[in-house]
Amino acid sequence: MNNFPQIIFASAVAVALTAPQNPEYLAETLSDERQDNGDGNFRYSFQTSNDISASQVGTPGILGQSNVQGSFRFPLTTGGFAEVSYIADENGYQPTSDLLPTPPPLPAHVFELLRIADEQRAQGITFN
């Protein structure tokens, strides 16, 4: 009989049990609330002892998808928190956060060009 798999498993368990536990990475669940109505409507929220939290509310979408709105938060190693709110629906995933990069504002002439293009489309002018 070959006991090699059992020896490897026992060794892995021994290493896992003797590995130092860093309290910084251990967390307890402080709250965990979930509700699923079975009709596409649902909600959940949770919070842990290391300040990680999330919540989400979902409803059926008009295209058969789930529309969700929620947020999550976790501590940053540099201090403070990362906080993200989002909506996901027919228009895609739309996150909002101070941590997300934003493009520079459009130059003023772009708005004039868009106005001219709208006028040309209204006149039936098309370009290939």
Side-chain angles (χ1 to χ4, degrees), residues 18-66:
T18 59
Q21 299 293 320
N22 188 343
E24 179 182 339
Y25 298 110
L26 298 178
E28 294 179 7
T29 302
L30 300 177
S31 68
D32 185 353
E33 299 176 11
R34 298 167 190 270
Q35 176 185 352
D36 185 345
N37 297 343
D39 59 357
N41 292 289
F42 66 90
R43 68 177 54 242
Y44 78 80
S45 66
F46 72 85
Q47 182 174 1
T48 64
S49 60
N50 61 349
D51 291 325
I52 296 173
S53 62
S55 63
Q56 188 176 75
V57 175
T59 58
I62 60 174
L63 301 176
Q65 82 288 350
S66 290

Side-chain angles (χ1 to χ4, degrees), residues 52-82:
I52 296 173
S53 62
S55 63
Q56 188 176 75
V57 175
T59 58
I62 60 174
L63 301 176
Q65 82 288 350
S66 290
N67 288 347
V68 295
Q69 182 173 352
S71 63
F72 57 90
R73 166 187 158 125
F74 57 91
L76 297 170
T77 57
T78 57
F81 290 90

Side-chain angles (χ1 to χ4, degrees), residues 6-19:
Q6 289 88 356
I7 292 171
I8 297 295
F9 177 74
S11 298
V13 169
V15 168
L17 291 174
T18 59

